[in-house]
Amino acid sequence: MWGKKSNKNKESKGTSIFPIKIDTLEQLLSDKFENNPDLKFSKYMVCEKKVAVFFIDYQIEIQSFQQSLLTPLVNLEKSNEKLSNQHLLNELPLNSGTTADSIEVILEDIILGKVFIYIEGEKAALGYLLPMKESRSLETAETESIVLGPKISFTESLSKNMNIVRWLIKSTDLVMEEYKIGKVSPKDVRLVYMKSIANEDDVQTMRQRLKELDVDQIEDTIVLKQFLEDSQTNVFPQLDITERPDRFTYNILQGKLGVLVENSPSGFTAPATLFSFLESTEDLYMRWQGGTFYRVLRFMAMFFSIIIAPTYVAALTYQYAIIPTQLLITIGQSRAAVPFPPIFEVLLLEFMLELLREAGARLPTKVGQTMGIVGGIVIGQAAVEAGLTSNILIILVAMSALASFVTPSYLFGTSIRLIRFPLIILAGFFGLIGIIFGITFLIIHVTRLTSLGRPYLVPLYPLQLKDFNKVFFRTPFNLTNKRARSYRPKLLKRYQKDDASKIRDIDE
């Protein structure tokens, strides 16, 4: 873009070193970068003045540098106007020029992809941001696969992710607040929300946590999420991580807050509840009957995954009476050759299953799939034939593992699998009483949890009956014209119920 550019000084972070001789500046920068060959320092004579251009080679877009900066700079020789920083700001075809007068600011900006121009005798160097940004193209989501709905996922490019969000939410009401987090390696962070919908208390709470976070660096969105959670020692995730833009923007439009981080292919939304991790945007894309069925199925799968293995241990160790006689005979025949008590048998099989799952996830895709299928069949069959476990337990553990994979959230599924181990141990020592004690403790613990200060079990606790159709089951869209009260949005109504349900003929 051509035209007069603004000359904005960056906030000074040290004593000014300008004016300075160009040779002295070159030596100073060379010493600071330990004679790094990637530091390019070139000298020119423009309008009878010495000019230095310096940058980090691999940090800038070379083509833009050549066309928009270097060529126009050299051609200024034909101009009769006195060469100065203001002259360059007016003449160069870039609109991101800033001045820096301290070596601290220059060192900080040059590693971010800035090209600096210094005219000998001036009181500051002129910097232009021309970063080289590597990013992959838009692809399908890896960890949140769905059959219906958009397939696009976030990438490591923050600008692309913000563009996707703007593309999905075409509203001037969408706010994207900018933050920089990290003292050693700062990263750009965006707080995303709808100004007319999001609860102001939630916005202020998230702002405060982002501003007060004092760390050297944040590697990824998932790391930032753990810093911002209400309880970092708890096994349950308290902020909803996702790599799907449609899920992210859907939560934003419901009144939640979203956070995006530079170089991270995912974002998270807050506040979250236990039931948020069992919801999928695919529930919206199918008929309400199908959406309700699969949502209820996930709740049942979560309970089944937690309880089935501990119940097996408790029943075989203490409470034989709860097993039907015919089934008890079958189990006895299956375990006739097993020399271990049920608790050891279950823990061994669960441990083997976790090893297979982890190995399949870490190996290359094609090898990992083969490892999971072949390894599971071979090891399971060999364990039965060797008398280490029974056929029935293999079926139960496999079903329990499948049930844990039904949850749309990978992190929440991992939490469910972790919960099984202490419950198995309690069942082995105390039977059904141990299971009841463990589940009671788990319920009390979850009841005390919060996400961004909001109760983790809402709308079940505190009870919000009017939100049940948005959490536990789905109803037709003409009956869901209001947002969930649990998140206390500013704007509760989404659309007029009567207009949404009205059937119009072709002649209307």
Side-chain angles (χ1 to χ4, degrees):
M1 181 181 293
W2 293 83
K4 191 172 182 179
K5 315 300 184 300
S6 61
N7 182 6
K8 295 181 180 179
N9 287 322
K10 188 164 182 177
E11 183 180 350
S12 180
K13 294 185 179 181
T15 305
S16 175
I17 61 170
F18 299 100
I20 188 174
K21 293 290 185 182
I22 283 182
D23 293 337
T24 305
L25 177 62
E26 181 180 15
Q27 186 60 47
L28 177 61
L29 290 172
S30 180
D31 292 341
K32 291 290 185 180
F33 281 95
E34 303 291 341
N35 297 313
N36 191 330
D38 295 317
L39 173 65
K40 304 301 179 183
F41 195 100
S42 304
K43 306 172 188 176
Y44 303 91
M45 287 294 298
V46 181
C47 298
E48 300 182 353
K49 280 195 174 185
K50 290 184 179 180
V51 178
V53 179
F54 49 96
F55 54 89
I56 302 294
D57 190 19
Y58 54 83
Q59 287 291 103
I60 70 164
E61 178 60 56
I62 294 297
Q63 186 175 358
S64 298
F65 166 68
Q66 293 282 353
Q67 294 178 354
S68 302
L69 197 149
L70 186 58
T71 301
L73 176 65
V74 175
N75 290 337
L76 287 177
E77 183 66 36
K78 303 174 184 178
S79 174
N80 295 324
E81 189 174 343
K82 182 180 178 182
L83 187 63
S84 64
N85 284 344
Q86 189 60 48
H87 184 204
L88 290 182
L89 287 167
N90 292 337
E91 295 296 330
L92 295 181
L94 294 167
N95 62 353
S96 59
T98 58
T99 55
D101 60 1
S102 68
I103 192 65
E104 290 82 6
V105 172
I106 290 175
L107 293 176
E108 178 182 301
D109 288 349
I110 199 171
I111 61 177
L112 297 178
K114 270 197 175 183
V115 177
F116 280 94
I117 303 173
Y118 174 60
I119 304 170
E120 193 169 68
E122 288 289 312
K123 296 182 179 180
L126 186 62
Y128 286 95
L129 189 62
L130 299 172
M132 168 70 79
K133 293 187 176 180
E134 299 291 345
S135 63
R136 59 187 172 92
S137 59
L138 300 178
E139 299 174 355
T140 58
E142 293 288 336
T143 59
E144 297 177 77
S145 300
I146 62 173
V147 178
L148 303 175
K151 304 297 188 291
I152 194 173
S153 68
F154 285 129
T155 71
E156 287 77 9
S157 171
L158 180 59
S159 59
K160 281 187 178 180
N161 293 342
M162 292 191 297
N163 185 35
I164 294 171
V165 173
R166 286 282 185 190
W167 176 46
L168 293 175
I169 305 179
K170 298 180 177 69
S171 172
T172 56
D173 196 48
L174 181 66
V175 179
M176 291 188 176
E177 296 182 3
E178 180 181 4
Y179 297 88
K180 273 196 177 296
I181 298 179
K183 294 185 296 184
V184 175
S185 178
K187 282 191 177 182
D188 286 331
V189 175
R190 294 292 188 276
L191 173 60
V192 186
Y193 61 93
M194 297 295 290
K195 188 175 182 180
S196 64
I197 301 176
N199 184 281
E200 191 61 33
D201 291 340
D202 293 343
V203 175
Q204 292 294 345
T205 301
M206 184 61 76
R207 281 176 183 162
Q208 181 181 2
R209 294 186 185 184
L210 289 172
K211 290 177 180 178
E212 294 181 353
L213 186 59
D214 186 15
V215 293
D216 287 344
Q217 65 174 357
I218 48 172
E219 291 79 5
D220 191 81
T221 305
I222 301 177
V223 176
L224 176 61
K225 179 184 79 72
Q226 295 178 59
F227 279 116
L228 299 178
E229 286 179 334
D230 292 28
S231 172
Q232 298 185 22
T233 58
N234 176 60
V235 69
F236 289 101
Q238 296 140 58
L239 300 175
D240 191 5
I241 196 85
T242 181
E243 62 175 357
R244 301 191 59 83
D246 61 327
R247 180 182 175 92
F248 184 86
T249 53
Y250 172 76
N251 286 330
I252 297 298
L253 290 171
Q254 298 307 306
K256 296 185 181 182
L257 316 180
V259 173
L260 297 171
V261 179
E262 178 187 3
N263 297 333
S264 175
S266 59
F268 66 81
T269 56
T273 68
L274 175 72
F275 313 108
S276 301
F277 303 98
L278 298 173
E279 298 175 11
S280 173
T281 50
E282 194 172 22
D283 299 341
L284 303 173
Y285 303 143
M286 60 178 65
R287 299 287 295 176
W288 66 271
Q289 297 92 338
T292 297
F293 172 76
Y294 286 111
R295 190 168 292 184
V296 172
L297 180 66
R298 293 188 202 109
F299 285 109
M300 294 175 60
M302 178 187 68
F303 180 76
F304 182 84
S305 178
I306 292 173
I307 204 68
I308 189 65
T311 302
Y312 174 87
V313 173
L316 291 187
T317 307
Y318 298 102
Q319 282 84 18
Y320 295 101
I322 67 173
I323 305 175
T325 304
Q326 192 62 40
L327 180 59
L328 186 60
I329 294 173
T330 304
I331 295 175
Q333 292 173 348
S334 177
R335 295 196 71 255
V338 179
F340 308 116
I343 182 174
F344 183 82
E345 180 189 6
V346 173
L347 288 175
L348 176 63
L349 205 56
E350 288 279 1
F351 179 71
M352 291 169 57
L353 188 66
E354 290 300 318
L355 285 180
L356 284 172
R357 187 191 66 82
E358 189 67 14
R362 300 291 168 251
L363 289 171
T365 305
K366 294 182 180 179
V367 180
Q369 292 176 350
T370 304
M371 175 67 184
I373 297 172
V374 176
I377 294 173
V378 171
I379 293 176
Q381 186 64 30
V384 173
E385 292 181 358
L388 297 178
T389 185
S390 64
N391 287 321
I392 293 179
L393 180 59
I394 286 183
I395 296 173
L396 293 178
V397 170
M399 290 176 64
S400 179
L402 285 175
S404 68
F405 293 139
V406 169
T407 57
S409 171
Y410 176 80
L411 292 177
F412 188 75
T414 303
S415 300
I416 294 300
R417 290 193 293 274
L418 289 176
I419 290 171
R420 285 204 301 262
F421 287 96
L423 285 178
I424 290 170
I425 294 172
L426 286 172
F429 284 101
F430 305 105
L432 290 178
I433 295 177
I435 296 176
I436 295 172
F437 173 81
I439 292 178
T440 303
F441 176 82
L442 186 63
I443 293 173
I444 295 173
H445 173 66
V446 174
T447 304
R448 291 168 56 88
L449 282 181
T450 58
S451 173
L452 213 65
R454 304 292 185 191
Y456 196 60
L457 281 183
V458 69
L460 194 60
Y461 175 82
L463 191 62
Q464 293 280 355
L465 292 176
K466 292 184 178 180
D467 286 349
F468 274 32
N469 65 332
K470 303 173 185 66
V471 175
F472 300 108
F473 55 91
R474 257 207 63 200
T475 52
F477 284 120
N478 61 343
L479 299 179
T480 55
N481 64 313
K482 293 183 180 180
R483 296 179 176 87
R485 292 173 172 79
S486 307
Y487 305 120
R488 300 180 183 177
K490 288 181 183 176
L491 186 62
L492 187 63
K493 185 175 292 186
R494 298 170 60 199
Y495 49 81
Q496 291 295 332
K497 180 179 177 180
D498 294 338
D499 292 342
S501 59
K502 183 178 180 181
I503 299 176
R504 294 173 174 84
D505 296 328
I506 192 171
D507 57 344
E508 291 188 31

